[in-house]
Amino acid sequence: MKRLIFWLIIPALALLGCNRDDDFGKNEIKPVPYTVSLRYDASKYPDVADKGVANVTVTMENAATGDKITGKTDANGDLKLEAVLPEIIALKPNFS
């Protein structure tokens, strides 16, 4: 489970690399499209092996504001979001 969470946090950290000064003086942070892909090794996570990665609820939370974006993964384990601010830092999958 730690490995799964690790791979979910890495893309969020990449988003943190966006610098507010990169807007060329417009002082505006623009949302970007973002895809979360859930993958796991069933031999290491037998407790979720029968559930797969389809219809997993994923919550992305902005630590600064507490704003949350929630969605469900498709049959391939992907969740496509149209507009995500680069400040989001936490991803939380819920396999229940």
Side-chain angles (χ1 to χ4, degrees):
M1 190 60 136
K2 290 180 184 177
R3 191 174 198 178
L4 172 66
I5 293 172
F6 173 76
W7 285 110
L8 291 174
I9 292 175
I10 293 297
L13 292 176
L15 287 174
L16 286 175
C18 298
N19 189 333
R20 290 180 185 259
D21 295 333
D22 291 343
D23 61 4
F24 304 105
K26 296 178 186 172
N27 296 322
E28 183 179 338
I29 297 176
K30 295 182 181 180
V32 295
Y34 190 74
T35 300
V36 176
S37 296
L38 294 181
R39 306 288 184 266
Y40 68 95
D41 182 349
S43 67
K44 293 183 181 180
Y45 307 105
D47 56 324
V48 294
D50 61 332
K51 296 179 183 177
V53 291
N55 295 317
V56 174
T57 301
V58 177
T59 302
M60 301 176 77
E61 183 175 356
N62 182 320
T65 65
D67 291 340
K68 294 180 181 179
I69 300 172
T70 301
K72 287 197 178 260
T73 58
D74 62 16
N76 298 319
D78 296 330
L79 169 62
K80 295 179 179 148
L81 302 166
E82 297 298 321
V84 177
L85 290 174
E87 299 170 329
I88 291 180
I89 61 167
L91 295 170
K92 300 173 186 176
N94 182 354
F95 290 96
S96 57

